[in-house]
Amino acid sequence: GNSVTQMEGPVTLSEEAFLTINCTYTATGYPSLFWYVQYPGEGLQLLLKATKADDKGSNKGFEATYRKETTSFHLEKGSVQVSDSAVYFCALTSPGSTLGRLYFGRGTQLTVWP
Amino acid sequence: SQTIHQWPATLVQPVGSPLSLECTVEGTSNPNLYWYRQAAGRGLQLLFYSVGIGQISSEVPQNLSASRPQDRQFILSSKKLLLSDSGFYLCAWAKKRDRTLEAFFGQGTRLTVV
């Protein structure tokens, strides 16, 4: 079946530090992969996505590359800011899905200190 | 542009009381609609999805039900709440973009059952 395994948190970093949040998945075929972000007290917002192998999604300084050989989609940012403090969710949809059902990881809490 | 509205933002209800959470989408027609729940310390779990009026599919057996009385309205209900129903409930809709279905989330409802 489909599943997402995400690095356990919480992650605490100083401002301008490098961020990596690991995400690996299990799925048949080529799923679409997503990173969502949840700021305190809010719903989820799409941060970036990739729909095929070797694609790189990027947004707001965050990047993630779809690695089929390692079934991974790790999130990275070169220099985090206090405003990046949030919960980050890795997710996938099944290949060819017409339902759009998302399979989520458990989420990783990121706290950035000034 | 499309928007999704979800209310109320927070709710405190006693055990055994009924529940009704409402979600509406504007600016699109015949969307796929979803209810997710985020329990404390856990990831997001899909509760229900709907591909059309009156069409509801349940992912997990539980104390909750869903209805879609109009094309862009999705309601989550319970006749008698349990303590275990506490959590953060998120409504979402999906549209096709870049060869995949992309989900957009409401602001969420924080439900505390006491």
Side-chain angles (χ1 to χ4, degrees):
Chain A
N2 299 309
S3 67
V4 175
T5 302
Q6 189 175 338
M7 178 174 134
E8 294 283 330
V11 174
T12 304
L13 294 172
S14 298
E15 205 164 26
E16 299 184 2
F18 184 83
L19 168 71
T20 299
I21 301 178
N22 290 336
C23 171
T24 57
Y25 68 88
T26 301
T28 53
Y30 289 82
S32 293
L33 301 174
F34 306 84
W35 276 100
Y36 281 85
V37 58
Q38 183 181 30
Y39 296 104
E42 299 185 9
L44 272 67
Q45 301 174 28
L46 179 64
L47 181 59
L48 53 84
K49 67 180 182 183
T51 59
K52 62 182 189 294
D54 300 324
D55 264 4
K56 177 185 283 188
S58 61
N59 186 27
K60 299 181 181 180
F62 290 90
E63 293 183 339
T65 301
Y66 190 143
R67 300 289 188 198
K68 180 65 176 174
E69 63 276 12
T70 54
T71 61
S72 64
F73 193 54
H74 305 321
L75 182 68
E76 296 182 337
K77 186 174 185 181
S79 177
V80 294
Q81 305 300 311
V82 172
S83 58
D84 294 326
S85 297
V87 181
Y88 293 81
F89 292 92
C90 186
L92 67 83
T93 56
S94 297
S97 170
T98 57
L99 292 175
R101 183 214 197 282
L102 283 159
Y103 296 82
F104 284 94
R106 287 180 170 249
T108 302
Q109 172 76 56
L110 169 67
T111 302
V112 181
W113 296 101
Chain B
S1 64
Q2 302 90 357
T3 56
I4 179 167
H5 302 281
Q6 186 181 341
W7 67 93
T10 60
L11 193 59
V12 180
Q13 291 283 100
V15 169
S17 63
L19 173 73
S20 180
L21 302 181
E22 189 162 343
C23 171
T24 59
V25 181
E26 296 177 357
T28 187
S29 59
N30 196 30
N32 288 357
L33 295 171
Y34 313 84
W35 279 110
Y36 287 87
R37 177 170 62 197
Q38 183 181 19
R42 301 179 66 179
L44 283 142
Q45 181 183 40
L46 179 65
L47 301 176
F48 301 95
Y49 65 89
S50 172
V51 299
I53 296 174
Q55 300 178 59
I56 308 295
S57 296
S58 174
E59 282 288 300
V60 291
Q62 59 209 312
N63 183 41
L64 302 168
S65 62
S67 61
R68 185 170 178 173
Q70 300 180 42
D71 181 43
R72 290 170 290 175
Q73 184 183 29
F74 204 24
I75 298 172
L76 183 69
S77 303
S78 173
K79 292 182 179 178
K80 289 185 177 182
L81 284 168
L82 306 172
L83 287 174
S84 58
D85 292 324
S86 294
F88 192 54
Y89 289 82
L90 287 157
C91 180
W93 72 279
K95 72 176 180 181
K96 198 163 176 70
R97 180 184 283 184
D98 300 331
R99 307 190 308 171
T100 189
L101 277 165
E102 192 172 301
F104 298 87
F105 288 81
Q107 292 296 294
T109 297
R110 174 76 59 192
L111 171 65
T112 304
V113 183
V114 296

